[in-house]
Short mmCIF file of all heavy atoms in Angstrom, two decimals:
data_model
loop_
_atom_site.label_atom_id
_atom_site.label_comp_id
_atom_site.label_asym_id
_atom_site.label_seq_id
_atom_site.Cartn_x
_atom_site.Cartn_y
_atom_site.Cartn_z
N CYS D 109 25.91 16.67 -47.75
CA CYS D 109 24.78 16.33 -48.63
C CYS D 109 25.00 16.91 -50.02
O CYS D 109 25.61 17.98 -50.19
CB CYS D 109 23.48 16.85 -48.04
SG CYS D 109 23.10 16.17 -46.41
N LYS D 110 24.51 16.20 -51.02
CA LYS D 110 24.58 16.65 -52.41
C LYS D 110 23.19 17.04 -52.89
O LYS D 110 22.18 16.60 -52.37
CB LYS D 110 25.17 15.57 -53.30
CG LYS D 110 26.59 15.17 -52.93
CD LYS D 110 27.10 14.08 -53.85
CE LYS D 110 28.53 13.66 -53.48
NZ LYS D 110 29.02 12.60 -54.39
N TYR D 111 23.17 17.81 -53.97
CA TYR D 111 21.95 18.19 -54.66
C TYR D 111 20.97 18.89 -53.71
O TYR D 111 19.79 18.59 -53.65
CB TYR D 111 21.25 16.98 -55.29
CG TYR D 111 22.17 16.15 -56.15
CD1 TYR D 111 22.39 14.82 -55.84
CD2 TYR D 111 22.83 16.71 -57.24
CE1 TYR D 111 23.25 14.04 -56.61
CE2 TYR D 111 23.68 15.97 -58.01
CZ TYR D 111 23.90 14.62 -57.70
OH TYR D 111 24.75 13.86 -58.45
N VAL D 112 21.47 19.80 -52.93
CA VAL D 112 20.63 20.59 -52.05
C VAL D 112 20.41 21.96 -52.67
O VAL D 112 21.25 22.44 -53.44
CB VAL D 112 21.26 20.74 -50.64
CG1 VAL D 112 21.38 19.38 -49.98
CG2 VAL D 112 22.62 21.43 -50.73
N SER D 113 19.31 22.57 -52.36
CA SER D 113 18.99 23.89 -52.92
C SER D 113 18.86 24.96 -51.86
O SER D 113 18.63 26.12 -52.18
CB SER D 113 17.68 23.82 -53.72
OG SER D 113 16.63 23.41 -52.86
N ARG D 114 18.98 24.61 -50.58
CA ARG D 114 18.80 25.62 -49.52
C ARG D 114 19.68 25.24 -48.34
O ARG D 114 19.62 24.13 -47.83
CB ARG D 114 17.34 25.70 -49.08
CG ARG D 114 17.07 26.88 -48.14
CD ARG D 114 17.09 28.18 -48.89
NE ARG D 114 16.66 29.29 -48.07
CZ ARG D 114 17.48 30.15 -47.46
NH1 ARG D 114 18.79 30.01 -47.59
NH2 ARG D 114 17.01 31.15 -46.75
N LEU D 115 20.54 26.18 -47.93
CA LEU D 115 21.42 26.00 -46.78
C LEU D 115 21.07 27.02 -45.71
O LEU D 115 20.69 28.16 -46.01
CB LEU D 115 22.88 26.16 -47.19
CG LEU D 115 23.45 25.08 -48.12
CD1 LEU D 115 24.84 25.48 -48.56
CD2 LEU D 115 23.47 23.72 -47.45
N PHE D 116 21.21 26.62 -44.46
CA PHE D 116 20.89 27.49 -43.34
C PHE D 116 22.12 27.59 -42.44
O PHE D 116 22.70 26.58 -42.04
CB PHE D 116 19.70 26.96 -42.56
CG PHE D 116 18.46 26.83 -43.38
CD1 PHE D 116 18.14 25.62 -43.97
CD2 PHE D 116 17.64 27.91 -43.59
CE1 PHE D 116 17.01 25.49 -44.74
CE2 PHE D 116 16.50 27.79 -44.36
CZ PHE D 116 16.20 26.57 -44.95
N ASN D 117 22.49 28.82 -42.13
CA ASN D 117 23.68 29.08 -41.34
C ASN D 117 23.40 28.81 -39.86
O ASN D 117 22.27 28.87 -39.40
CB ASN D 117 24.13 30.52 -41.54
CG ASN D 117 25.57 30.71 -41.12
OD1 ASN D 117 26.24 29.78 -40.68
ND2 ASN D 117 26.06 31.94 -41.28
N LEU D 118 24.47 28.55 -39.12
CA LEU D 118 24.35 28.32 -37.69
C LEU D 118 23.76 29.57 -37.01
O LEU D 118 24.22 30.69 -37.26
CB LEU D 118 25.74 28.02 -37.11
CG LEU D 118 25.80 27.40 -35.72
CD1 LEU D 118 25.23 25.98 -35.76
CD2 LEU D 118 27.24 27.36 -35.22
N PRO D 119 22.75 29.40 -36.18
CA PRO D 119 22.12 30.59 -35.57
C PRO D 119 23.04 31.27 -34.59
O PRO D 119 23.94 30.66 -33.99
CB PRO D 119 20.88 30.00 -34.88
CG PRO D 119 21.23 28.59 -34.60
CD PRO D 119 22.11 28.14 -35.73
N THR D 120 22.82 32.55 -34.39
CA THR D 120 23.63 33.34 -33.45
C THR D 120 23.07 33.30 -32.03
O THR D 120 23.80 33.52 -31.06
CB THR D 120 23.69 34.80 -33.92
OG1 THR D 120 22.35 35.31 -34.04
CG2 THR D 120 24.37 34.90 -35.27
N GLU D 121 21.78 33.04 -31.90
CA GLU D 121 21.16 32.98 -30.58
C GLU D 121 21.73 31.77 -29.82
O GLU D 121 21.75 30.66 -30.34
CB GLU D 121 19.65 32.87 -30.73
CG GLU D 121 18.87 33.19 -29.47
CD GLU D 121 18.65 31.94 -28.62
OE1 GLU D 121 18.47 30.86 -29.21
OE2 GLU D 121 18.70 32.04 -27.39
N GLU D 122 22.20 31.98 -28.58
CA GLU D 122 23.02 31.01 -27.88
C GLU D 122 22.29 29.69 -27.62
O GLU D 122 22.85 28.60 -27.83
CB GLU D 122 23.51 31.61 -26.55
CG GLU D 122 24.52 30.77 -25.80
CD GLU D 122 25.80 30.56 -26.60
OE1 GLU D 122 26.13 31.41 -27.45
OE2 GLU D 122 26.48 29.53 -26.37
N THR D 123 21.04 29.74 -27.20
CA THR D 123 20.31 28.52 -26.87
C THR D 123 20.11 27.65 -28.10
O THR D 123 20.36 26.44 -28.09
CB THR D 123 18.96 28.87 -26.23
OG1 THR D 123 19.17 29.68 -25.09
CG2 THR D 123 18.21 27.61 -25.83
N ARG D 124 19.63 28.28 -29.19
CA ARG D 124 19.44 27.52 -30.42
C ARG D 124 20.78 27.02 -30.98
O ARG D 124 20.86 25.92 -31.52
CB ARG D 124 18.74 28.40 -31.48
CG ARG D 124 17.23 28.50 -31.32
CD ARG D 124 16.63 29.28 -32.47
NE ARG D 124 16.83 28.59 -33.74
CZ ARG D 124 16.90 29.21 -34.92
NH1 ARG D 124 16.83 30.51 -34.98
NH2 ARG D 124 17.07 28.50 -36.03
N ARG D 125 21.79 27.85 -30.84
CA ARG D 125 23.11 27.46 -31.35
C ARG D 125 23.61 26.18 -30.68
O ARG D 125 24.14 25.28 -31.33
CB ARG D 125 24.10 28.60 -31.12
CG ARG D 125 25.49 28.37 -31.70
CD ARG D 125 26.40 29.52 -31.33
NE ARG D 125 27.74 29.34 -31.89
CZ ARG D 125 28.10 29.74 -33.10
NH1 ARG D 125 27.22 30.35 -33.87
NH2 ARG D 125 29.34 29.54 -33.55
N ARG D 126 23.40 26.08 -29.37
CA ARG D 126 23.82 24.88 -28.65
C ARG D 126 23.03 23.65 -29.10
O ARG D 126 23.59 22.55 -29.21
CB ARG D 126 23.65 25.09 -27.15
CG ARG D 126 24.63 26.10 -26.56
CD ARG D 126 24.39 26.28 -25.08
NE ARG D 126 25.34 27.25 -24.50
CZ ARG D 126 25.34 27.60 -23.22
NH1 ARG D 126 24.44 27.07 -22.40
NH2 ARG D 126 26.22 28.47 -22.78
N LYS D 127 21.74 23.82 -29.37
CA LYS D 127 20.94 22.69 -29.83
C LYS D 127 21.42 22.21 -31.20
O LYS D 127 21.45 21.00 -31.47
CB LYS D 127 19.46 23.10 -29.89
CG LYS D 127 18.83 23.33 -28.52
CD LYS D 127 17.35 23.70 -28.65
CE LYS D 127 16.72 23.92 -27.28
NZ LYS D 127 15.28 24.28 -27.39
N TRP D 128 21.74 23.17 -32.06
CA TRP D 128 22.25 22.78 -33.38
C TRP D 128 23.58 22.01 -33.23
O TRP D 128 23.79 20.98 -33.88
CB TRP D 128 22.47 24.02 -34.24
CG TRP D 128 21.22 24.57 -34.86
CD1 TRP D 128 20.04 24.78 -34.25
CD2 TRP D 128 21.06 24.99 -36.22
NE1 TRP D 128 19.13 25.32 -35.12
CE2 TRP D 128 19.74 25.46 -36.35
CE3 TRP D 128 21.90 25.04 -37.31
CZ2 TRP D 128 19.23 25.94 -37.55
CZ3 TRP D 128 21.41 25.52 -38.51
CH2 TRP D 128 20.08 25.97 -38.64
N LEU D 129 24.48 22.50 -32.40
CA LEU D 129 25.77 21.85 -32.21
C LEU D 129 25.61 20.48 -31.58
O LEU D 129 26.33 19.53 -31.90
CB LEU D 129 26.68 22.73 -31.36
CG LEU D 129 27.12 24.06 -31.99
CD1 LEU D 129 27.92 24.90 -30.99
CD2 LEU D 129 27.94 23.81 -33.26
N GLU D 130 24.63 20.36 -30.65
CA GLU D 130 24.37 19.07 -30.03
C GLU D 130 23.92 18.06 -31.07
O GLU D 130 24.31 16.88 -31.03
CB GLU D 130 23.31 19.23 -28.94
CG GLU D 130 22.94 17.96 -28.22
CD GLU D 130 24.04 17.41 -27.33
OE1 GLU D 130 24.93 18.22 -26.95
OE2 GLU D 130 24.02 16.20 -27.03
N PHE D 131 23.11 18.51 -32.04
CA PHE D 131 22.64 17.59 -33.09
C PHE D 131 23.76 17.24 -34.07
O PHE D 131 23.90 16.08 -34.50
CB PHE D 131 21.48 18.25 -33.84
CG PHE D 131 21.08 17.51 -35.09
CD1 PHE D 131 20.36 16.35 -35.03
CD2 PHE D 131 21.45 18.00 -36.34
CE1 PHE D 131 20.00 15.66 -36.18
CE2 PHE D 131 21.11 17.32 -37.49
CZ PHE D 131 20.38 16.16 -37.42
N ILE D 132 24.59 18.21 -34.41
CA ILE D 132 25.62 17.99 -35.44
C ILE D 132 26.80 17.19 -34.89
O ILE D 132 27.23 16.19 -35.46
CB ILE D 132 26.09 19.33 -36.01
CG1 ILE D 132 24.91 20.07 -36.68
CG2 ILE D 132 27.22 19.13 -37.02
CD1 ILE D 132 25.23 21.48 -37.09
N PHE D 133 27.34 17.63 -33.72
CA PHE D 133 28.58 17.05 -33.21
C PHE D 133 28.37 16.21 -31.97
O PHE D 133 29.29 15.55 -31.51
CB PHE D 133 29.59 18.17 -32.89
CG PHE D 133 29.93 19.01 -34.07
CD1 PHE D 133 29.44 20.30 -34.19
CD2 PHE D 133 30.74 18.52 -35.10
CE1 PHE D 133 29.75 21.09 -35.28
CE2 PHE D 133 31.06 19.32 -36.19
CZ PHE D 133 30.55 20.60 -36.30
N GLY D 134 27.15 16.27 -31.41
CA GLY D 134 26.94 15.57 -30.15
C GLY D 134 27.51 16.31 -28.97
O GLY D 134 27.58 15.78 -27.86
N ASN D 135 27.92 17.54 -29.14
CA ASN D 135 28.52 18.35 -28.09
C ASN D 135 28.03 19.79 -28.25
O ASN D 135 28.29 20.43 -29.27
CB ASN D 135 30.05 18.31 -28.17
CG ASN D 135 30.70 19.07 -27.02
OD1 ASN D 135 30.03 19.59 -26.14
ND2 ASN D 135 32.03 19.13 -27.05
N ALA D 136 27.33 20.27 -27.26
CA ALA D 136 26.76 21.61 -27.36
C ALA D 136 27.80 22.70 -27.26
O ALA D 136 27.51 23.86 -27.60
CB ALA D 136 25.71 21.81 -26.25
N HIS D 137 29.02 22.37 -26.80
CA HIS D 137 30.06 23.39 -26.63
C HIS D 137 31.18 23.21 -27.65
O HIS D 137 32.30 23.68 -27.43
CB HIS D 137 30.62 23.32 -25.20
CG HIS D 137 29.59 23.53 -24.14
ND1 HIS D 137 29.08 24.77 -23.80
CD2 HIS D 137 28.95 22.62 -23.34
CE1 HIS D 137 28.19 24.64 -22.84
NE2 HIS D 137 28.08 23.34 -22.53
N GLN D 138 30.89 22.53 -28.73
CA GLN D 138 31.88 22.32 -29.78
C GLN D 138 32.27 23.67 -30.40
O GLN D 138 31.42 24.50 -30.74
CB GLN D 138 31.31 21.41 -30.86
CG GLN D 138 32.22 21.19 -32.04
CD GLN D 138 33.42 20.31 -31.70
OE1 GLN D 138 33.32 19.45 -30.82
NE2 GLN D 138 34.54 20.53 -32.37
N LYS D 139 33.56 23.89 -30.51
CA LYS D 139 34.04 25.11 -31.14
C LYS D 139 34.07 24.92 -32.64
O LYS D 139 34.53 23.90 -33.14
CB LYS D 139 35.43 25.46 -30.62
CG LYS D 139 35.47 25.83 -29.15
CD LYS D 139 36.87 26.24 -28.74
CE LYS D 139 36.90 26.64 -27.26
NZ LYS D 139 38.26 27.06 -26.84
N THR D 140 33.58 25.89 -33.36
CA THR D 140 33.51 25.79 -34.82
C THR D 140 33.54 27.18 -35.41
O THR D 140 33.36 28.19 -34.70
CB THR D 140 32.24 25.06 -35.27
OG1 THR D 140 32.24 24.96 -36.70
CG2 THR D 140 31.01 25.81 -34.84
N SER D 141 33.73 27.26 -36.69
CA SER D 141 33.72 28.55 -37.38
C SER D 141 32.30 29.04 -37.59
O SER D 141 31.34 28.30 -37.43
CB SER D 141 34.44 28.42 -38.74
OG SER D 141 33.74 27.52 -39.57
#
Side-chain angles (χ1 to χ4, degrees):
C109 300
K110 299 179 180 180
Y111 308 120
V112 297
S113 59
R114 188 73 172 100
L115 293 173
F116 301 95
N117 199 0
L118 196 67
T120 57
E121 197 270 325
E122 188 62 26
T123 303
R124 279 185 64 208
R125 184 183 181 87
R126 290 179 180 179
K127 291 182 179 180
W128 280 47
L129 293 175
E130 179 70 21
F131 169 75
I132 299 172
F133 301 106
N135 184 3
H137 301 283
Q138 177 72 29
K139 294 183 178 180
T140 182
S141 64

